Amino acid sequence: DAEITQSPRHKITETGRQVTLACHQTWNHNNMFWYRQDLGHGLRLIHYSYGVHDTNKGEVSDGYSVSRSNTEDLPLTLESAASSQTSVYFCASSRDRGKYEQYFGPGTRLTVT
Amino acid sequence: QKEVEQDPGPLSVPEGAIVSLNCTYSNSAFQYFMWYRQYSRKGPELLMYTYSSGNKEDGRFTAQVDKSSKYISLFIRDSQPSDSATYLCAMFSQRGTSYGKLTFGQGTILTVHP
């Protein structure tokens, strides 16, 4: 069955370190998205991609970067982790830009100490 | 002001109660209106969607959209403990600056106690 996976599921890191969160989907979807979820804020879009080599900034992109070298993967990098980036991160994918349904991964819980 | 506002709750109801969850929005370009359900420590999953105004029913769940008021609702009848989750409204447009992206409300935490 097609799926979307994230790794690691839990991560503790120190302030200032670079961290990369992995997202892999086997749906063969063109679109991939990264969100962070914090209490009281719902899901906020960090970065998204509409295809290979395409990346775009979302509403909370400062301090994060992504690159898309193939259809299946969209890794999220925190360049220099800050305590404000402690959050739960979700990756999602959708078939193409005109499709409203997004499929979400299980999430990565990141703690920056 | 956020494009989508959702009553934050939390909401705690007894089993069998009727639950009403609501969102308002400001972007008139939104065309698809969705409800995602998220169980604890899981990713959100699409529960229901409605295109444009109107009602849609699926078992114990009814979604309503009133585009003239920019207001959407999700009703849960005969609520069950298994309905305990966070419910997120989400909106989608096939045009404009929001094209291809979902805009979410803040989410409402619902607990149904036996």
Side-chain angles (χ1 to χ4, degrees):
Chain A
D1 286 345
E3 61 177 356
I4 181 165
T5 57
Q6 294 183 235
S7 62
R9 295 295 312 279
H10 301 273
K11 175 79 175 178
I12 300 174
T13 192
E14 294 177 344
T15 301
R17 290 192 179 268
Q18 184 180 80
V19 176
T20 297
L21 308 183
C23 175
H24 179 81
Q25 54 99 2
T26 59
W27 296 96
N28 199 34
H29 284 167
N30 289 322
N31 301 347
M32 296 185 73
F33 307 84
W34 273 104
Y35 297 89
R36 60 177 289 174
Q37 186 174 36
D38 306 285
L39 198 62
H41 291 279
L43 287 162
R44 291 184 291 176
L45 186 62
I46 305 171
H47 281 287
Y48 57 103
S49 167
Y50 289 139
V52 177
H53 304 307
D54 175 75
T55 60
N56 305 280
K57 294 181 179 181
E59 64 177 305
V60 290
S61 60
D62 287 349
Y64 303 94
S65 64
V66 294
S67 63
R68 185 108 180 256
S69 58
N70 59 52
T71 300
E72 296 80 15
D73 300 289
L74 187 70
L76 177 71
T77 297
L78 286 68
E79 304 293 344
S80 177
S83 58
S84 59
Q85 294 176 310
T86 293
S87 187
V88 181
Y89 291 86
F90 288 99
C91 180
S93 71
S94 66
R95 193 183 74 187
D96 56 51
R97 201 169 170 183
K99 295 299 291 184
Y100 57 85
E101 184 168 8
Q102 291 185 11
Y103 298 83
F104 284 80
T108 294
R109 188 171 294 269
L110 177 68
T111 302
V112 183
T113 61
Chain B
Q1 185 181 359
K2 293 180 181 291
E3 273 191 300
V4 179
E5 297 277 359
Q6 182 172 359
D7 290 344
L11 207 53
S12 180
V13 301
E15 184 175 354
I18 296 174
V19 175
S20 172
L21 305 168
N22 310 293
C23 289
T24 59
Y25 64 95
S26 58
N27 187 345
S28 57
F30 289 138
Q31 301 164 290
Y32 290 85
F33 304 89
M34 286 150 281
W35 289 94
Y36 277 78
R37 180 173 60 193
Q38 182 181 20
Y39 291 116
S40 180
R41 299 188 179 271
K42 301 285 188 183
E45 290 181 315
L46 182 64
L47 179 63
M48 294 183 71
Y49 84 94
T50 306
Y51 176 72
S52 193
S53 283
N55 294 359
K56 189 171 187 177
E57 190 172 316
D58 183 3
R60 296 183 295 108
F61 298 87
T62 300
Q64 287 186 352
V65 174
D66 182 349
K67 291 193 74 176
S68 63
S69 302
K70 295 189 175 64
Y71 189 87
I72 74 169
S73 300
L74 178 71
F75 297 96
I76 307 174
R77 291 184 301 279
D78 187 25
S79 56
Q80 302 295 309
S82 58
D83 296 328
S84 298
T86 298
Y87 290 81
L88 299 130
C89 63
M91 306 191 186
F92 180 85
S93 173
Q94 290 179 321
R95 58 180 188 264
T97 57
S98 298
Y99 180 36
K101 297 180 286 183
L102 290 178
T103 304
F104 285 90
Q106 296 93 319
T108 302
I109 300 172
L110 172 67
T111 302
V112 181
H113 50 88

